[in-house]
Amino acid sequence: MVSSLGQEFIIDLYHGLLTLNEFDFGEGIKLNYQRTKLIQEKILSDREVIFKKISPILIEDIEEKPLLPVDENLIHFNRHFKEIHKRIFKNQIGREPWDELYLKPL
């Protein structure tokens, strides 16, 4: 699955995949294109959203040390989490998030 805020990137990727059935990364690693399925974007109606995340979220501090979203470090982690997402929003859509973003492990 591929997702992006960049509509032009997704369109270019889609058109490229239409003409390419197989991509060879080398060393015996190949990507075989099978199909494209457009997934409808979900509209968020609540201020709180729960995501199921399998891979870890890696955020590092200024000293390049990992910050973990655990109870004793959650405030510090979320300070960096919010700042990173403010920058992403500004770069991708030209504005800051409408509301504060924070992560709270379940």
Side-chain angles (χ1 to χ4, degrees):
M1 182 186 303
V2 178
S3 66
S4 172
L5 289 174
Q7 184 178 5
E8 187 174 333
F9 168 74
I10 293 295
I11 291 169
D12 290 343
L13 177 63
Y14 173 72
H15 287 282
L17 289 172
L18 288 177
T19 60
L20 181 71
N21 292 326
E22 180 179 275
F23 183 79
D24 190 351
F25 287 97
E27 298 182 23
I29 301 171
K30 295 181 181 181
L31 170 74
N32 293 304
Y33 172 70
Q34 294 177 348
R35 69 181 176 276
T36 300
K37 181 179 179 185
L38 189 59
I39 300 172
Q40 197 74 340
E41 183 176 346
K42 291 187 179 182
I43 304 298
L44 303 179
S45 57
D46 293 327
R47 290 183 56 150
E48 184 174 308
V49 182
I50 297 175
F51 294 96
K52 293 180 183 177
K53 186 86 174 108
I54 296 173
S55 58
I57 297 173
L58 175 62
I59 294 180
E60 295 177 343
D61 64 13
I62 197 161
E63 297 169 354
E64 297 183 0
K65 293 181 181 175
L67 298 171
L68 302 175
V70 293
D71 287 340
E72 63 272 6
N73 200 33
L74 195 56
I75 293 171
H76 190 57
F77 174 89
N78 272 313
R79 189 175 313 128
H80 285 76
F81 182 79
K82 289 174 192 177
E83 186 58 38
I84 289 168
H85 284 87
K86 279 183 185 178
R87 291 179 189 176
I88 291 170
F89 268 66
K90 282 184 179 179
N91 287 338
Q92 294 293 323
I93 57 177
R95 64 165 177 82
E96 290 188 7
W98 287 322
D99 208 346
E100 289 288 318
L101 297 173
Y102 65 92
L103 185 116
K104 178 179 148 186
L106 298 177

